[in-house]
């Protein structure tokens, strides 16, 4: 599921996944994604997803020093964590909703492309 999530997040213009992004190294990371979305604070993204029934976290997750060094102290990160009970459909829904949020900031949508990228995993 994490590979599906990473591919879908990577298909969204303006979204930057933080941490290990090399697919060959994914076994070195947990199935948790931290990301930023251009034009939005982490709180704005988390609020919009929450309004759509999708739970994510925003902030620095007690990694204050790291987030400051990344230059993200003001906007924070969005955090999505997958567990054993998540499904591919939930990942696809998250990617679709993020695509719509990102697309509205750019005057369009990227939902179809984002969902298609996730489905190829």
């Amino acid at each position: 599921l994490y590979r599906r999530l990473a591919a879908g997040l990577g298909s969204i213009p303006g979204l930057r996944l933080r941490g290990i992004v090399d697919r060959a190294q994914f076994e070195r990371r947990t199935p948790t994604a931290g990301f930023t979305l251009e034009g939005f604070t982490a709180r704005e993204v988390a609020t919009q997803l929450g309004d759509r029934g999708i739970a994510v976290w925003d902030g620095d997750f007690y990694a204050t020093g790291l987030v400051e060094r990344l230059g993200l102290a003001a906007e924070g990160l969005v955090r999505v964590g997958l567990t054993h009970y998540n499904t591919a459909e939930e990942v696809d829904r998250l990617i679709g909703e993020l695509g719509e949020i990102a697309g509205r900031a750019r005057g369009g949508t990227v939902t179809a492309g984002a969902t298609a990228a996730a489905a190829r995993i």
Side-chain angles (χ1 to χ4, degrees), residues 66-112:
L66 173 62
V67 170
E68 287 172 351
R69 283 191 299 270
L70 290 172
L72 300 172
E75 68 181 72
L77 294 166
V78 178
R79 181 177 175 204
V80 175
L82 300 175
T83 62
H84 62 282
Y85 54 78
N86 288 115
T87 66
E89 292 78 20
E90 290 171 327
V91 171
D92 292 348
R93 180 167 173 251
L94 169 66
I95 298 307
E97 297 291 352
L98 279 169
E100 284 188 22
I101 292 167
R104 275 191 283 120
R106 291 170 168 65
T109 63
V110 293
T111 306

Side-chain angles (χ1 to χ4, degrees), residues 35-69:
F35 65 88
T36 55
L37 183 58
E38 185 180 323
F40 297 92
T41 66
R43 174 64 45 101
E44 290 169 333
V45 173
T47 298
Q48 288 190 46
L49 288 171
D51 290 345
R52 297 162 185 235
I54 297 174
V56 297
W57 301 268
D58 67 279
D60 65 18
F61 317 107
Y62 304 104
T64 306
L66 173 62
V67 170
E68 287 172 351
R69 283 191 299 270

Side-chain angles (χ1 to χ4, degrees), residues 2-3 5-6 9 17-23 25-35 79-80:
Y2 183 79
R3 290 180 184 278
L5 175 64
L9 293 175
L17 182 61
R18 306 297 177 137
I20 298 171
V21 294
D22 177 4
R23 293 177 64 82
Q25 299 298 316
F26 279 176
E27 72 278 355
R28 295 183 50 219
R29 67 174 299 152
T30 63
T32 301
F35 65 88
R79 181 177 175 204
V80 175

